[in-house]
Amino acid sequence: MLKKGKLKLPDRLGILVPGFDDKEEENGGSEPVFESGEELEIMEPNGVELGNKENEYEFDLGVDDKVGDKVDAFRTRKRPDKDGPGQVTVREVIAADEKRSDLEYEFSQKEINLEKVKRIASMGVPDGGGLRATAWKLLLGYLSPSHDVWEKELTENRQKYAKLKEELLLSPSEYTRVKADAMISAELSSEGDVAGPLKRRGISHGDHPLSVGMASAWHHYFKHTEIAEQIDRDLQRTHPDMKFFSGESSFSKKNREAMRNILLLFAKLNPAICYVQGMNEVLAPIFYVFSTDTDEQNAVNAEADSFSCFVRLLSDSVDHFCQQLDNSPVGILSTLSRLAKLLKENDEELWKHLEFTTKVKPQFYAFRWITLLLSQEFNFQSILRIWDSLLSNPFGVQDMLLRICCAMLLCVKSRLLSGDFAANLRLLQHYPDINIEYLLRVAQDLSADTSSYSLSL
């Protein structure tokens, strides 16, 4: 069982489940402004018809409030096009320039003040210049505060990722051919250019594609074919409004292929968790930010860097993807209870209305919020801004995530208090446009739930 708190990353890159060792698993203001440039299906407990829309995320908890099979829990959700009027004040422009200068200065230092980076990032990392990519790598612990070791650390991690891809993503025949070519090349180098008969290499019965043995390399390869197909389907639905992810251009296809590699490799390294629909949504912001880094070398290696940071991010919430842990102290139901407790501490009136009057329980709306780190509730730029605050929170991602979820309820309090079960459920499953900075200020000002703090990454 995975323990709550910061999960110590294993020696082997990418493995979250302890004990897995490559063997078969055992069982508004007055200032002038400048103009800037499928969802949870409404549930029907007790036969209440609430409506439905095409291409929405569907999640069926049933009347017994149990979290369903996570493999079937997620489908594509249409995101809101925007969160507000899209206006930027003079003060915001100046503040962004100041934050940009402060971060550029910090990143140029020999020893980076990580606490200062967290404070700046919590207010939003300015777009452009690769600042967000560097900040997120630092906040996730992928980069050391010691600037001098960055090049060495990046090179080592990227080489490890390349080796894992070679071992686990190539088909057995491709892997055998690569190894054979390497051996032949080594032998030719040692023997010189001496002519001689060609050497034929045999193949064991266990390495034959038709082998049914559990230890066969082909058995393991075919075992993940269905998972790979599910990943491909989900990636086709990832941010369909963005050309970076969607479409048939070579650019978008290349990006989806890289994300496919990351998700499939994660599934193979973590058989107890495997791949769960929705993980593609959690990966998308990381891969986008790293791929659009202005540093060309970093952008080229976005796939390797994204894999490592994806693993680190999930290490803080991986228990939510594991159905066997749903009812444990570290499972999703426990986290949903913490959200309810946080709401009660900050607004008992609203908590009572949702819990007892309308009976809109967190399982009906917050499961997706928490599991996907709010990556389905807002537009993409707002998601990046929210993640700046999530990753920079000194008490960890989950603490800030619950604060924001609670703030989302408080910001629509009047509508919730006047609504019945159907109206409130529809509102929370189709969260309205909101000023993100205001939402984050409300979240930051909440009385904290100190009962289950997790360490920062």
Side-chain angles (χ1 to χ4, degrees):
M1 179 180 293
L2 299 176
K3 295 182 179 179
K4 190 65 181 176
K6 181 179 177 184
L7 185 63
K8 183 178 179 182
L9 294 177
D11 293 333
R12 179 151 191 190
L13 184 66
I15 302 176
L16 289 180
V17 180
F20 177 64
D21 55 2
D22 299 328
K23 293 186 288 187
E24 179 71 10
E25 183 184 6
E26 294 179 8
N27 214 31
S30 60
E31 296 176 301
V33 298
F34 301 107
E35 293 292 336
S36 63
E38 266 168 60
E39 178 157 47
L40 288 181
E41 182 183 33
I42 299 302
M43 298 174 54
E44 303 175 5
N46 301 323
V48 180
E49 180 74 22
L50 300 179
N52 188 21
K53 291 185 180 180
E54 280 190 31
N55 298 326
E56 291 187 335
Y57 253 135
E58 296 179 2
F59 180 55
D60 184 13
L61 290 169
V63 296
D64 58 356
D65 298 356
K66 290 183 180 179
V67 176
D69 185 353
K70 295 185 178 61
V71 175
D72 298 320
F74 300 104
R75 296 184 191 167
T76 308
R77 174 186 191 255
K78 184 178 180 181
R79 295 166 180 78
D81 294 329
K82 60 181 180 179
D83 292 333
Q87 296 178 339
V88 181
T89 65
V90 173
R91 180 180 299 174
E92 288 171 337
V93 172
I94 294 174
D97 286 341
E98 290 178 348
K99 287 187 289 186
R100 182 176 291 105
S101 297
D102 289 344
L103 284 175
E104 288 174 347
Y105 173 78
E106 283 302 321
F107 295 162
S108 68
Q109 299 302 297
K110 206 169 184 181
E111 287 292 326
I112 294 170
N113 186 333
L114 196 54
E115 293 305 314
K116 186 173 182 180
V117 172
K118 288 181 179 180
R119 287 196 299 271
I120 299 171
S122 69
M123 298 181 289
V125 179
D127 295 325
L131 294 177
R132 180 172 276 120
T134 303
W136 284 14
K137 289 173 184 176
L138 281 164
L139 295 173
L140 285 164
Y142 183 57
L143 286 179
S144 165
S146 300
H147 198 293
D148 291 344
V149 301
W150 282 9
E151 184 175 354
K152 178 176 178 291
E153 289 178 343
L154 288 173
T155 299
E156 290 178 351
N157 281 321
R158 290 164 180 172
Q159 287 176 347
K160 288 179 182 178
Y161 180 73
K163 183 174 176 58
L164 284 175
K165 281 182 66 177
E166 181 181 276
E167 292 178 354
L168 298 177
L169 296 188
L170 292 178
S171 70
S173 60
E174 291 172 324
Y175 182 68
T176 301
R177 184 168 59 250
V178 169
K179 289 296 185 183
D181 290 345
M183 290 178 63
I184 292 172
S185 177
E187 289 176 2
L188 289 176
S189 298
S190 62
E191 296 174 4
D193 296 329
V194 179
L198 292 175
K199 296 181 179 180
R200 301 181 65 191
R201 300 192 180 276
I203 180 171
S204 67
H205 174 73
D207 288 331
H208 194 280
L210 298 181
S211 173
V212 294
M214 296 294 287
S216 168
W218 283 98
H219 170 78
H220 291 274
Y221 180 76
F222 289 131
K223 177 182 174 183
H224 290 89
T225 300
E226 185 176 344
I227 297 172
E229 291 173 351
Q230 180 63 62
I231 291 172
D232 288 337
R233 288 193 294 270
D234 291 344
L235 289 175
Q236 288 288 344
R237 299 189 291 244
T238 303
H239 296 282
D241 55 327
M242 294 180 64
K243 293 182 179 179
F244 181 90
F245 300 103
S246 183
E248 295 304 314
S249 67
S250 58
F251 174 65
S252 61
K253 286 181 177 179
K254 179 182 178 182
N255 292 333
R256 290 198 300 271
E257 179 65 24
M259 293 176 67
R260 180 186 191 270
N261 291 339
I262 294 170
L263 294 170
L264 186 55
L265 189 55
F266 178 89
K268 290 190 174 188
L269 288 170
N270 297 278
I273 307 167
C274 205
Y275 169 76
V276 179
Q277 285 179 288
M279 286 183 176
N280 56 305
E281 301 290 350
V282 177
L283 172 62
I286 299 174
F287 184 69
Y288 174 85
V289 168
F290 292 176
S291 295
T292 55
D293 194 332
T294 53
D295 184 294
E296 184 176 349
Q297 188 65 21
N298 287 335
V300 168
N301 288 283
E303 181 181 330
D305 295 345
S306 296
F307 173 77
S308 296
C309 289
F310 176 69
V311 171
R312 289 171 178 270
L313 180 60
L314 280 196
S315 72
D316 194 48
S317 60
V318 68
D319 299 333
H320 296 158
F321 287 98
C322 204
Q323 188 175 7
Q324 293 86 344
L325 299 178
D326 281 348
N327 294 298
S328 74
V330 296
I332 184 64
L333 293 180
S334 176
T335 302
L336 291 170
S337 296
R338 286 181 57 201
L339 173 59
K341 179 182 176 183
L342 186 61
L343 177 61
K344 181 180 180 181
E345 291 175 349
N346 286 276
D347 196 316
E348 189 166 354
E349 178 189 15
L350 180 56
W351 171 76
K352 285 181 178 178
H353 182 75
L354 291 176
E355 190 74 17
F356 301 110
T357 305
T358 62
K359 300 187 185 302
V360 179
K361 300 182 182 298
Q363 289 93 317
F364 297 155
Y365 60 87
F367 176 82
R368 186 184 67 218
W369 293 4
I370 292 170
T371 308
L372 301 189
L373 305 181
L374 297 172
S375 62
Q376 281 284 303
E377 312 313 314
F378 306 97
N379 72 23
F380 198 72
Q381 285 302 314
S382 296
I383 294 169
L384 300 185
R385 171 62 188 94
I386 288 171
W387 279 32
D388 289 339
S389 292
L390 290 179
L391 299 180
S392 60
N393 184 46
F395 294 107
V397 170
Q398 291 300 307
D399 171 73
M400 190 61 187
L401 178 60
L402 290 183
R403 285 172 173 268
I404 296 174
C405 291
C406 185
M408 289 169 67
L409 298 172
L410 296 176
C411 286
V412 292
K413 175 180 177 179
S414 61
R415 294 177 64 178
L416 290 172
L417 290 177
S418 63
D420 58 11
F421 176 87
N424 286 349
L425 197 56
R426 185 177 293 110
L427 173 65
L428 296 177
Q429 292 187 345
H430 301 79
Y431 197 80
D433 293 344
I434 190 172
N435 183 300
I436 294 299
E437 294 301 330
Y438 174 74
L439 174 66
L440 293 174
R441 285 197 299 272
V442 173
Q444 195 62 52
D445 291 341
L446 291 177
S447 298
D449 168 21
T450 58
S451 62
S452 302
Y453 273 156
S454 60
L455 297 177
S456 56
L457 292 165

